[in-house]
Structure formats: C-alpha cells, structure tokens
Amino acid sequence: MVENTLISSGLLKSYNAVNISKVRYLAVVIDSEEARETSKVLELLCWLASVSLKSICLYDREGVLKKSQTAIIEGLNKSQKAIVEGSDHGTLVEKHVDLEFVSFADSKPAVAKAANLLFAKHYASTKPEKPNFTESDMSEALQAVGYGGPEPDLLLVYGPVRCHMGFPAWRIRYTEIVHMGTLKSMEFGSLLKAIHKFTKVHQNYGQ
C-alpha cells in the first residue's frame, strides 16, 4: 500500500515514464456486479488514458458493460479535458481511446460458427477429410467468421476471483494475466505498477 501511494504521488521516479509501446492492446475483465459501478469504470478508463493506452477491451461475463457502453463512451468523452475525479495523480486526460465491449455471450455464436465452417470445409463434401484440427485451424476459422479479434498483450482482472471469468480463450493464448483485486479498492499506483512490471518482462513464446 505504501509503495502504491508513492507511485501515485510520483515520488518513485522509475514509474513516471512507462514504456507503453509493449501494451498495444489491453483487456480489462471486471466482475459483472462491480461492472454496474459506471463511475468506477470511467475512473479506471481515465487512468488508462492518462498513461497513453489507446486500445482497450472491456469484458464482463453478463454483458453489463456492453449494455452501458453508450454511457461509458459519453462519460469518457466528457472527461477528455477534465482532471480525473478522485485521483491523486491529477493527470489531464486528453487522449483518444478505442474501446471494445465483450461478454461471455459473444463466445457461443463464435464457436458455433467456426465449428460449422470447419465442418463444411472438411466433412460436408462427397469425400470428407478426417483432419486433426489444430489451434491455428480454429483461430483461422474464428477470424473467417469475424470473431477473431486482437489478442491482448496484458489482461487485468478486477473482481473477487483469480480467473479470466470466461474471456474468449482463443484471444489470450499468449496474454499476461494480472489479478488486480476488486474494482472498488482499485488504486492508480497498483495499476501503474502492474503495467510497468509487464513492460519489463521478457516473454518467450512456444512453437
């Protein structure tokens, strides 16, 4: 807690200049009950914008964030030139952010359409094939039916449980996942610390 407070106040200089280029796409998973706290979601987005994150995916299992996306986008736009309310760091938010809204329901039609495509390609012919499907085959099928989506470099989980809560598994094959605690107890210092730590880690990808 002390370290997070020092980071938020800017006293730990090593956190003042985070190399954000390694986080090209960030996913934020929020417990659906906590996702109803739109003001907290907006505060979090303003913090992310203040450190120059430009592409963010918001996910909750029940689709609360998707239903609130108009209010969230409008609220974020209104905050673009305002000091983030309730934050200690007092950074002005003046940067455009691209948002994607995802829920668990998006996974069902995605998998069904991809499976149908693979079936039609390999089994629904006069001479059906019997291939051994690989991860890349499924990924290509999901891309073909429009459900591929970019893979987040970093996924932050806000909620009482340490899991991704059903976030599309095919999009997080190489994603670093960090549990941040509950949304109501979020701190700018812990957020900056998690991003800073990720940018310093060297990731090895398997074949």
Side-chain angles (χ1 to χ4, degrees):
M1 291 179 63
V2 173
E3 184 181 24
N4 291 339
T5 300
L6 292 174
I7 294 171
S8 298
S9 64
L11 294 177
L12 294 183
K13 302 301 181 182
S14 59
Y15 290 91
N16 290 347
V18 178
N19 180 16
I20 214 67
S21 63
K22 291 189 68 175
V23 192
R24 293 163 296 181
Y25 199 77
L26 174 75
V28 179
V29 171
I30 302 176
D31 175 74
S32 292
E33 193 61 35
E34 296 190 358
R36 303 179 194 281
E37 299 291 335
T38 305
S39 61
K40 297 297 289 184
V41 175
L42 283 172
E43 185 176 10
L44 175 59
L45 288 174
C46 286
W47 286 354
L48 294 171
S50 73
V51 294
S52 301
L53 283 165
K54 298 180 180 179
S55 298
I56 302 169
C57 175
L58 289 176
Y59 170 93
D60 78 280
R61 187 177 180 88
E62 296 176 13
V64 174
L65 295 168
K66 288 189 73 172
K67 294 175 184 177
S68 306
Q69 62 179 318
T70 299
I72 291 173
I73 292 172
E74 289 179 352
L76 184 60
N77 288 338
K78 290 178 181 179
S79 301
Q80 291 299 296
K81 295 182 180 180
I83 296 178
V84 179
E85 182 180 357
S87 66
D88 295 326
H89 52 102
T91 301
L92 289 176
V93 178
E94 301 177 343
K95 299 169 184 177
H96 176 73
V97 177
D98 291 319
L99 296 177
E100 177 189 8
F101 293 84
V102 180
S103 71
F104 183 73
D106 296 318
S107 299
K108 297 178 180 179
V111 173
K113 290 181 179 180
N116 287 335
L117 179 65
L118 290 172
F119 178 82
K121 180 179 180 180
H122 297 286
Y123 290 99
S125 61
T126 55
K127 295 182 179 180
E129 304 175 28
K130 291 185 178 181
N132 293 318
F133 291 126
T134 64
E135 187 176 309
S136 60
D137 291 325
M138 192 63 179
S139 295
E140 289 175 6
L142 287 163
Q143 290 283 356
V145 297
Y147 285 92
E151 294 188 22
D153 302 293
L154 177 63
L155 185 149
L156 304 178
V157 179
Y158 286 92
V161 295
R162 293 177 177 272
C163 69
H164 58 70
M165 304 186 203
F167 189 92
W170 59 87
R171 293 183 59 176
I172 53 175
R173 295 174 298 170
Y174 306 113
T175 300
E176 182 80 11
I177 301 175
V178 180
H179 183 250
M180 301 296 292
T182 61
L183 191 67
K184 64 181 179 181
S185 62
M186 68 180 187
E187 296 179 350
F188 178 71
S190 61
L191 174 66
L192 193 59
K193 181 179 177 181
I195 296 173
H196 181 269
K197 183 177 179 180
F198 171 76
T199 63
K200 299 298 182 182
V201 173
H202 176 72
Q203 291 181 303
N204 295 314
Y205 299 103
Q207 298 296 324

